[in-house]
Amino acid sequence: MKLTICLDVGGSFAKGTVFDEKSNELVGGINYYPAKSEESGSIIIDNFEHIILDLYMQVVSESKIIESIMMAFPGPFDYPNGISLITGLGKYEALYKVNIKELLLEKIMNNTNMHITQQVSIQFFNDATSFAFGEYAHSQSIITKGAYFTLGTGCGSTFIEAGKSVKGQFGIPDSGMIYNELFKNSIIDDYLSARGFLKIIQDDYGDSLTPVEIYHLAISGNQQAIRVFDLFGRNIGEALAPYIKQFQPDEIVFGGQISKGFQYMEYAIRKVFDQMASDYELRVSEDTSYSAIQGLDYLKNQQGEDIFVK
C-alpha cells in the first residue's frame, strides 16, 4: 500500500494525517505537533522528519510504503522548488532561502525506520490554495466555480473553476492571489487580516483587546464587539466585491481564525455580495486545517496536471 503524508504547516503547529491510494485516512483524525518555527533551521527540518516518522509509525507495516509527502506552507515561498522566502514574520526565519525540499528528502531517504519508494516526491503548496481545493473537493459534484478566502495573519485567496485555480482572468491578478491589490488607503492584506481587525478594535472599540477577547465578548452579546465584526465584514464585502462580481462563483467559503466570528460578519458581507452575484452559497469552513489537508490529498491525485488555468 502506497501512502501519502499530508502536513498543514503553520507558525505554531504542524497538523498532519496519512492517506492511502484511495484517499482513505489511515490515522485517527488530525495529529497536532509543535512547529518549532522560531528554532534553528536544523531543528525545524529535524522536526519535520520527526512528524513524518510519527505519522508513518502509526500505520507502519511491511506492505505500507511512503510514496509522497504533501505540505501546505504559508508564503512567501517558492513552491515548485521548495524554498522558503519567509522573513520578518517571526516564524521560519532560519529557513529563509533554504531548500527545504532537498534537505527533507535527504533526511527521509536516509531514515531506516521508514519504507520509501525510490521515486518519493515532496511537494509544497500555498496553504490558502490547499484549503481552497479541500473545500472545493467537497462541493465539486454540484458546483463549477468557487471563491475561497482565509482570514488570519494575512488574506489568502484562491478562485477555482472546473477543478483549476484561476489567475489572470475575471480581474484576478496573474498570481491568482489578491492580497496585494489596492484597497482604500493601502492593500487588501492590510484590511482583511489580523492587523486590519486589530485596527478596527483600536479605532472603534477604543481598547487594545485581542481578536479572541473580542470574539468572546461578541458571544456574550456585547454590542461594541459585535460592531467590530460587522465593520470587518463590511471591509470584506467591499474589498472582494469586484472579484465576486466578475467571477460569479457558485460558492464563497471563508476559513482562518478570524472566520470563527462569521456569524457576526455574515450580514454585512451578504449586503454587498447580494448586489454582485446571484444563486451563490456563502459559508464558513468547519475546519480550516482539515480542509487544507484534504486539499493536499486532492492535489496529489492531480499529479501530472497543471492546476492553474489562465
Side-chain angles (χ1 to χ4, degrees):
M1 180 186 294
K2 293 180 180 178
L3 308 176
T4 296
I5 293 177
C6 296
L7 301 179
D8 177 28
V9 179
S12 300
F13 294 98
K15 288 81 73 176
T17 194
V18 185
F19 295 94
D20 65 13
E21 304 103 312
K22 297 181 179 179
S23 296
N24 297 311
E25 292 181 49
L26 302 180
V27 300
I30 296 177
N31 285 219
Y32 282 70
Y33 304 88
K36 301 186 179 181
S37 63
E38 297 178 7
E39 300 287 351
S40 67
S42 61
I43 289 177
I44 296 172
I45 298 297
D46 286 347
N47 187 49
F48 289 153
E49 179 191 19
H50 161 75
I51 292 169
I52 292 166
L53 176 60
D54 184 75
L55 288 167
Y56 173 72
M57 293 301 289
Q58 293 182 46
V59 298
V60 65
S61 76
E62 290 184 4
S63 64
K64 293 185 175 70
I65 185 168
I66 300 174
E67 180 182 46
S68 60
I69 296 165
M70 308 287 288
M71 299 179 71
F73 221 96
F77 200 100
D78 177 351
Y79 292 101
N81 294 308
I83 299 173
S84 175
L85 301 175
I86 297 173
T87 184
L89 297 179
K91 59 184 178 182
Y92 302 111
E93 297 284 343
L95 294 182
Y96 180 61
K97 291 191 175 179
V98 169
N99 193 312
I100 300 172
K101 181 184 286 190
E102 287 184 357
L103 292 177
L104 189 54
L105 184 61
E106 181 181 2
K107 283 276 187 183
I108 64 172
M109 291 297 288
N110 291 325
N111 192 313
T112 57
N113 292 312
M114 289 187 268
H115 295 128
I116 299 168
T117 66
Q118 287 299 312
Q119 295 78 34
V120 63
S121 67
I122 299 178
Q123 296 183 69
F124 294 82
F125 290 90
N126 179 270
D127 49 358
T129 299
S130 303
F131 160 76
F133 275 98
E135 291 291 337
Y136 175 82
H138 292 296
S139 305
Q140 62 178 326
S141 62
I142 57 173
I143 72 165
T144 300
K145 292 180 178 180
Y148 307 90
F149 306 97
T150 52
L151 307 171
T153 304
C155 176
S157 58
T158 302
F159 300 82
I160 299 175
E161 180 178 16
K164 304 288 186 180
S165 182
V166 177
K167 59 180 182 178
Q169 297 183 58
F170 307 105
I172 301 164
D174 288 343
S175 66
M177 298 282 184
I178 64 170
Y179 71 95
N180 201 37
E181 295 297 287
L182 295 177
F183 178 62
K184 291 188 175 180
N185 297 321
S186 184
I187 58 173
I188 287 177
D189 214 50
D190 286 336
Y191 289 88
L192 307 193
S193 61
R195 61 186 178 277
F197 194 81
L198 285 169
K199 189 174 189 309
I200 294 175
I201 295 173
Q202 292 165 0
D203 292 349
D204 192 76
Y205 196 92
D207 206 335
S208 56
L209 297 175
T210 67
V212 173
E213 289 170 326
I214 287 290
Y215 174 66
H216 287 298
L217 283 168
I219 290 176
S220 71
N222 183 290
Q223 292 303 305
Q224 275 186 289
I226 291 172
R227 175 178 160 81
V228 167
F229 279 103
D230 183 74
L231 290 172
F232 191 74
R234 292 184 204 179
N235 280 343
I236 291 173
E238 292 171 8
L240 302 184
Y243 309 99
I244 300 304
K245 183 177 182 179
Q246 292 190 61
F247 187 59
Q248 292 293 308
D250 301 311
E251 73 171 2
I252 303 166
V253 185
F254 290 96
Q257 287 297 312
I258 301 175
S259 69
K260 291 180 179 179
F262 179 74
Q263 61 182 311
Y264 305 112
M265 302 184 286
E266 183 176 3
Y267 175 79
I269 296 171
R270 283 190 183 277
K271 190 173 181 180
V272 178
F273 285 179
D274 284 350
Q275 301 174 50
M276 304 297 164
S278 59
D279 298 325
Y280 69 94
E281 180 184 2
L282 178 65
R283 61 183 176 86
V284 65
S285 173
E286 293 183 9
D287 189 324
T288 303
S289 286
Y290 185 72
S291 291
I293 288 170
Q294 289 279 344
L296 289 171
D297 185 62
Y298 177 92
L299 290 165
K300 186 264 179 182
N301 292 324
Q302 310 307 308
Q303 276 187 352
E305 295 186 22
D306 186 358
I307 66 163
F308 297 99
V309 59
K310 182 178 179 181

